[in-house]
Every structure is written in C-alpha cells, then in structure tokens.
Amino acid sequence: MDIGRALKLCRSQRRMTQAALANRAGFSVSYVSLLEKNKRDPTLSTVEKIAHALNMPFSILIFLAVDKGELSGIDEDLAQRLALSSLTFLEDDTLRNSTLL
C-alpha cells in the first residue's frame, strides 16, 4: 500500500498545495510532506481527516493507495474500471462537490 502516492495524486488532482491540505486537515506542512514521501505511517483517523480535507470518500483514497499486487484476488478488468472510476471522481467537479461525502 502506497498512501503517499495516493495522497499526492489526490492533492494534485484537487490542485491543492501541501500547505492548503495541511491547513484543512489540521496538520503541519512538514507532516503532509513526510506522508507523501512515505516517511510516516498514518493512522486510519489521520487518513480519514485527509480524505475529508480533500473532499473525497476515504474508500477511494485507500483504493488508490493499493499496490497492483494487492489486487490479485480481483478481476483485472474490474480493478481497472474501479481505478478509472476513482480517477474520474477526482476530476469531476460535480461529484467532488456532491453530498456523497
């Protein structure tokens, strides 16, 4: 699982700086930077706060953090469709601002 990669991807797609994310999540910029570099292992509650600050479901953030090898029990076509749906969610302003969260 690569939480750092997922955080950076989602933050970038949201066009947020590390400072903006840190401010919204209640963390320091240096902590967000360390998370993105996988130099810290966040707790689930930390990841939940970050997902909320990114205005996205926790489950999508976790799915985007999964390494390909961790999806071995899932049909490859399904995994690709889920990944595409997750990325579409990140790019779609109407979904981003919906009440799904």
Side-chain angles (χ1 to χ4, degrees), residues 20-67:
L21 176 58
N23 185 47
R24 289 182 69 171
F27 301 119
S28 69
V29 176
S30 61
Y31 184 64
V32 171
S33 176
L34 290 170
L35 289 173
E36 286 187 0
K37 294 175 185 173
N38 288 313
K39 296 195 182 244
R40 294 290 182 272
D41 291 324
T43 63
L44 287 177
S45 63
T46 296
V47 178
E48 284 179 313
K49 287 179 185 178
I50 289 172
H52 182 74
L54 289 166
N55 195 26
M56 66 183 306
F58 172 81
S59 56
I60 289 179
L61 183 59
I62 293 298
F63 177 76
L64 291 171
V66 173
D67 291 319

Side-chain angles (χ1 to χ4, degrees), residues 3-12 35-36 50 54 61:
I3 292 289
R5 178 189 67 218
L7 292 178
K8 187 171 184 176
L9 170 70
C10 295
R11 180 182 59 75
S12 296
L35 289 173
E36 286 187 0
I50 289 172
L54 289 166
L61 183 59

